[in-house]
Structure formats: C-alpha cells, structure tokens
C-alpha cells in the first residue's frame, strides 16, 4: 500500500505522516514478546536515565525480530518512496515509558529536541543529521499523558528557518526557545501503526510511550 497524494502532502506541510495498522500482526507479536521478556526479566533500573536518552535494551538493537518490522513489512518501501535509495537499516532504537509504580522513581523526561543536534551524549561541535525517522508502535498508546511521543506540527519548517538564520556549529540548544516552550501534539496509536517523520520534525518531549507492555521502535534512515 503505497503513500497516497494526501500522505505526501501531509508529510510536506506537517513533517510527518502515520500509516495506521500497517505492519502485520505476526511481526508485531514477535517484536513485542522480545521487548516484554527483556523488560520483565532484565531491566536494570540503574540504567533508566541512560536508556531514556538513547535506547532501552541496546543489546537487542540488531535483533532480527526488530529489524523485520522495517525490512519485512513493507515499511522499507514507504521510506524509499520519500527518500529514493535507502541505506541498509542495521540497528533499531527501543523507547519505553515505565510506570513509576514499577520503578519506585520518576523516569527522566525528554525535553523538546531534534536527534543529533546538541544531544547530551554528543560533542556540541558535532552535528549528526539524517533524513527520515521511521517508527513502529508496538502497543496501545491511547493516553496523551502516558508518555506518548510529542511533536510540533510543521516543526520541520520552523527548525529549518532556525538553522538557516540563527544556528551555528557549537550551539548547545537543541531547539529554539519558541519550540522548547511548546507542549507538542501527542502521537496516539495502536500496534502496527507506522510513523514517518522528517528529521527536523522530531521535537518530542515527555518521554515516549507508556509501558505496561508499551513500547515504540524507531529507525533513522540516511
């Protein structure tokens, strides 16, 4: 099921498009079981802050059941429609929002940001850009206050203007003040939904997805 003319127009104006119920259930089930098993048996709470900033279960990032969500679902074809030739995707990022009742502590929230721009774990003199963020929802995300990814509609255009007129290498702000102050729109969805988002549109805060088995997979394509 290719991208429609409306999808392409939405991507251009809003910086993102969601394809609902796109990934087959059997691929979702395998990936969800993998992440759930890790969460229930091997989550080390000492690493919560590090995982929240980068990826949960980093040793699973290249697992075949996670990569299959991109390579065997038709999602790779959607990315190619937007980018043309797509570099091979070899790793994934897992993001989870863990309930405080399970942690006994508050999980750090992510401030509004664009990946690769003044990230806390990067040298401010570095800029690691890419073209497209691709995400797959692995469980129900129906509560806007439950840790959903948040984005600023049309934020990619405003970020591009900031880069063009104000940003320079070494700037430590991840987004301009007027975007940093926004709450953003929560991404709500169900297992199998696919998010295609412009790199500069990903100005998400608030954590990601709530967990009681709730998780979100994403890739960056260059």
């Amino acid at each position: 099921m290719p991208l429609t003319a409306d999808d392409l127009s939405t991507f251009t104006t809003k910086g993102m498009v969601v394809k609902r119920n796109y990934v087959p259930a059997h691929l979702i089930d395998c990936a969800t079981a993998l992440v759930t098993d890790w969460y229930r048996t091997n989550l080390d709470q000492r690493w919560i802050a590090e995982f929240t900033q980068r990826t949960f279960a980093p040793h699973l990032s290249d697992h075949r059941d996670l990569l299959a969500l991109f390579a065997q679902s038709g999602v790779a074809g959607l990315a190619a429609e937007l980018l043309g030739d797509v570099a091979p995707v070899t790793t994934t990022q897992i993001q989870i929002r863990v309930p405080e009742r399970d942690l006994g502590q508050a999980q750090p929230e992510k401030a509004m940001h664009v990946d690769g721009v003044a990230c806390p774990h990067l040298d401010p003199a570095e800029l690691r850009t890419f073209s497209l963020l691709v995400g797959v929802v692995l469980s129900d995300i129906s509560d806007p206050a439950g840790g959903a990814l948040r984005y600023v509609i049309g934020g990619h255009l405003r970020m591009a203007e900031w880069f063009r007129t104000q940003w320079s290498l070494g700037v430590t702000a991840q987004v301009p003040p007027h975007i940093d102050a926004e709450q953003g729109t929560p991404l709500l969805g169900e297992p199998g939904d696919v998010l295609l988002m412009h790199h500069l549109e990903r100005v998400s805060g608030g954590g990601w997805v709530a967990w009681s088995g709730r998780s979100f997979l994403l890739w960056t394509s260059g």
Side-chain angles (χ1 to χ4, degrees), residues 1-191:
M1 182 171 56
L3 295 173
T4 66
D6 284 344
D7 290 334
L8 296 173
S9 176
T10 298
F11 186 85
T12 299
T13 58
K14 294 185 176 181
M16 53 84 70
V17 66
V18 178
K19 300 293 282 184
R20 300 294 182 184
N21 194 31
Y22 192 88
V23 178
H26 71 280
L27 296 178
I28 294 293
D29 290 345
C30 289
T32 302
L34 180 71
V35 177
T36 300
D37 179 68
W38 173 83
Y39 167 75
R40 290 177 175 169
T41 61
N42 293 303
L43 174 60
D44 187 337
Q45 295 191 22
R46 294 173 299 177
W47 290 92
I48 285 291
E50 177 73 13
F51 289 160
T52 300
Q53 290 298 325
R54 305 185 73 169
T55 181
F56 283 72
H59 66 290
L60 296 178
S61 64
D62 60 353
H63 194 284
R64 63 181 181 277
D65 288 342
L66 303 185
L67 293 172
L69 296 171
F70 182 84
Q72 298 178 28
S73 63
V75 173
L78 297 180
E81 286 189 65
L82 293 172
L83 299 178
D85 292 336
V86 177
V89 172
T90 58
T91 60
T92 66
Q93 181 181 348
I94 304 167
Q95 281 297 334
I96 297 169
R97 196 70 188 162
V98 184
E100 291 182 17
R101 66 178 180 274
D102 293 341
L103 282 178
Q105 61 177 303
Q107 182 173 340
E109 294 188 357
K110 283 191 173 182
M112 287 292 182
H113 68 285
V114 169
D115 282 345
V117 181
C119 290
H121 56 279
L122 297 179
D123 184 332
E126 285 189 84
L127 181 65
R128 298 186 186 180
T129 60
F130 52 92
S131 300
L132 185 70
L133 181 151
V134 182
V136 176
V137 178
L138 294 184
S139 58
D140 177 68
I141 310 171
S142 56
D143 180 5
L149 177 151
R150 292 177 178 268
Y151 58 93
V152 176
I153 296 174
H156 64 305
L157 302 176
R158 294 157 65 182
M159 285 296 301
E161 178 65 12
W162 182 61
F163 273 112
R164 186 181 70 82
T165 61
Q166 301 179 49
W167 186 88
S168 61
L169 199 61
V171 169
T172 57
Q174 291 187 281
V175 294
H178 64 279
I179 287 183
D180 188 48
E182 297 195 24
Q183 294 298 311
T185 299
L187 173 68
L188 305 181
E190 299 178 347

